[in-house]
Amino acid sequence: MTAQRNAPPSASNNRNFIVMLGIILVLGLAILGYVVFKRASPVATVVAPGAPLPGAKGHTRGSATAPVDVVMYGDFECPGCGKFATITAPDVDARLVKPGLIRFSFMDFPLNGHPSTIFAHNAGACAGAQNKFWEMHDRIYNGQLEWSELANGRDMDAPRVMKRYAKELGLDTKAFNACFDGRELQQQVRANYEEGIRLGVNGTPTRPIASRVPCSPASPIASCCGVRPRATTACSSAAAACGGQRAA
């Protein structure tokens, strides 16, 4: 009798496995950040009290047709966010974002107790106005010890450092400085923060996810089953989602 060979796994099954593996990686890191680093209370600095806010709008990289959205609510002075951005994010980008398996977005969520963070968020927003958000994002996190008062225990003159970064990255420094000094995009930072509050985010890093991958009660994203494709949802708190619970 001729032995039968098992059919090789389909490309679809392989793709779903890789997507799930990526989600586990991202969520696992969030748990580490939650456990190791004490969370501060969230806050947003108001530029013009009572002024209408623009719509929330994050900074995104990856394919618009990716089956999974990962949206990071981050604080530039948060040590856990810094470790993710400098250690894990490059691997996530290479293995998951660039192959089109996930789409990754950053949303501003400045925290109280982080005295220099608002300068970094403003710098990111102003760099984004020149289509250089991700370059500034990476520079800010890689240089966290150069400007963070939280990390150093003293004022590091964060505005000066942010302007130096803008020059290093080849930005139009006159336009950047006008945007930065005038806090022209700080209301957008606040709008992103307010969207996080609406979704139940209460610390960083937090990553809402939505998936087009079929999920079951045994799925690592079981708590997100039933969400609409491409939606951002508060089943999101990375630590809570991995435990099968929705964020409060």
Side-chain angles (χ1 to χ4, degrees), residues 105-188:
S105 300
F106 180 93
M107 293 285 280
D108 301 283
F109 204 77
L111 296 173
N112 189 26
H114 293 180
S116 303
T117 194
I118 196 62
F119 300 117
H121 284 274
N122 281 337
C126 290
Q130 298 187 40
N131 298 315
K132 288 289 185 75
F133 170 79
W134 290 108
E135 290 86 346
M136 181 63 80
H137 166 280
D138 293 348
R139 187 66 185 91
I140 287 171
Y141 275 128
N142 278 292
Q144 204 174 55
L145 292 177
E146 297 178 338
W147 59 269
S148 171
E149 184 174 339
L150 178 72
N152 291 279
R154 60 187 178 88
D155 183 6
M156 301 299 291
D157 195 359
R160 176 186 58 81
V161 177
M162 297 302 146
K163 291 178 180 180
R164 172 164 64 83
Y165 290 169
K167 185 176 181 180
E168 288 177 5
L169 294 172
L171 298 178
D172 179 335
T173 54
K174 183 177 180 180
F176 176 88
N177 292 346
C179 175
F180 183 84
D181 291 336
R183 299 186 294 177
E184 293 176 3
L185 295 174
Q186 194 159 311
Q187 286 292 76
Q188 183 63 64

Side-chain angles (χ1 to χ4, degrees), residues 15 18-19 22 26 60-68 70 88-105 134-135 138:
R15 181 182 179 85
I18 293 171
V19 170
V26 174
T60 300
R61 57 183 170 191
S63 171
T65 61
V68 175
V70 177
T88 304
D91 196 46
V92 170
D93 189 56
R95 294 174 180 269
L96 299 172
V97 177
K98 289 181 179 177
L101 299 178
I102 70 171
R103 185 171 69 165
F104 189 91
S105 300
W134 290 108
E135 290 86 346
D138 293 348

